Amino acid sequence: MNFQSEASFEVLFKTYYSGLHAYALRYVDDPAQADEVVQEVFAQLWEKRSTINIQSSLKSYLFRAVHNHCLNLIKHQKVRETYRTHVEANRAEFQVDETDSMIEVDIKESIMEGIASLPKQCAKVFRMNRLEGFKYREIAEKLGISQKTVEAQMAKAMRRMRVYLKDHLPLLLLIMADFFR
């Protein structure tokens, strides 16, 4: 199937979304996470549309991509849970002091600076999704743009934020959960 145009890609999305979402739910057991997984698969497919070479059927490729994303998400969650358990068990070592608060403020400022460095539309989409909790579909409706545009803007924002915040990554892992609540 040719999915080079937005219209054909939208047909592809509508054709496979519900089946992929149901498949992802078998692994992540959370509709919002399943939605994120499927949207990320489609966003990556859209980004790589000019260079991707699918050897199997497109349907098989999509289900395998969702499967792999789910496994990666589960692995990431296990790492976070192991870390959280470690912190709980060693709470005395992780007592918050003034230095920790200053570091947290510094990182939050860096995140906000990173968001401010994004192109206007990209920053707005990123804020709505990551800080305000809107789903891609809701963002598209509120901004009057296609869901594919939202997905592309989020992918662009995530790439830039990773680069912008790469020096803060170890500290970000410590406070990220609190910042994005």
Side-chain angles (χ1 to χ4, degrees):
M1 174 179 231
N2 177 13
F3 50 86
Q4 298 297 318
S5 73
E6 250 186 74
S8 63
F9 192 78
E10 190 168 340
V11 168
L12 176 73
F13 181 85
K14 288 178 179 178
T15 301
Y16 291 107
Y17 176 83
S18 63
L20 292 170
H21 187 266
Y23 184 66
L25 271 173
R26 294 181 190 170
Y27 292 95
V28 297
D29 201 32
D30 175 13
Q33 282 185 329
D35 186 54
E36 287 289 324
V37 166
V38 174
Q39 288 183 22
E40 182 64 26
V41 166
F42 276 106
Q44 288 179 0
L45 183 63
W46 178 253
E47 285 179 358
K48 298 175 184 179
R49 69 187 177 280
S50 60
T51 59
I52 197 164
N53 183 13
I54 299 173
Q55 299 296 321
S56 61
S57 74
L58 182 58
K59 181 178 180 179
S60 296
Y61 174 86
L62 290 170
F63 276 90
R64 175 57 57 191
V66 167
H67 174 84
N68 291 340
H69 272 72
C70 287
L71 293 180
N72 287 339
L73 179 64
I74 291 166
K75 184 171 33 171
H76 178 70
Q77 287 172 336
K78 285 181 181 177
V79 167
R80 287 176 61 190
E81 187 56 38
T82 300
Y83 176 76
R84 184 175 287 124
T85 303
H86 174 73
V87 169
E88 296 281 328
N90 300 293
R91 173 107 18 230
E93 293 178 35
F94 294 98
Q95 290 300 315
V96 177
D97 61 18
E98 285 184 36
T99 305
D100 292 339
S101 295
M102 291 169 48
I103 291 170
E104 186 174 334
V105 167
D106 182 48
I107 291 173
K108 285 181 181 180
E109 286 175 2
S110 293
I111 290 170
M112 297 315 283
E113 287 171 12
I115 294 170
S117 75
L118 296 172
K120 187 177 181 180
Q121 176 89 351
C122 195
K124 185 172 195 141
V125 168
F126 182 84
R127 263 190 242 100
M128 289 177 79
N129 179 255
R130 298 298 177 175
L131 302 180
E132 298 171 23
F134 289 102
K135 293 183 180 182
Y136 290 5
R137 193 174 320 117
E138 296 168 328
I139 296 168
E141 289 172 8
K142 286 185 181 294
L143 298 180
I145 57 178
S146 76
Q147 189 166 329
K148 300 299 163 267
T149 301
V150 172
E151 292 168 8
Q153 290 293 323
M154 276 301 295
K156 180 190 227 179
M158 293 302 288
R159 278 193 312 272
R160 287 186 174 194
M161 289 297 286
R162 277 187 208 109
V163 170
Y164 190 84
L165 299 170
K166 72 181 185 303
D167 295 334
H168 294 292
L169 188 57
L171 295 173
L172 274 173
L173 293 175
L174 295 174
I175 67 165
M176 192 173 345
D178 291 334
F179 181 75
F180 287 111
R181 284 186 189 168

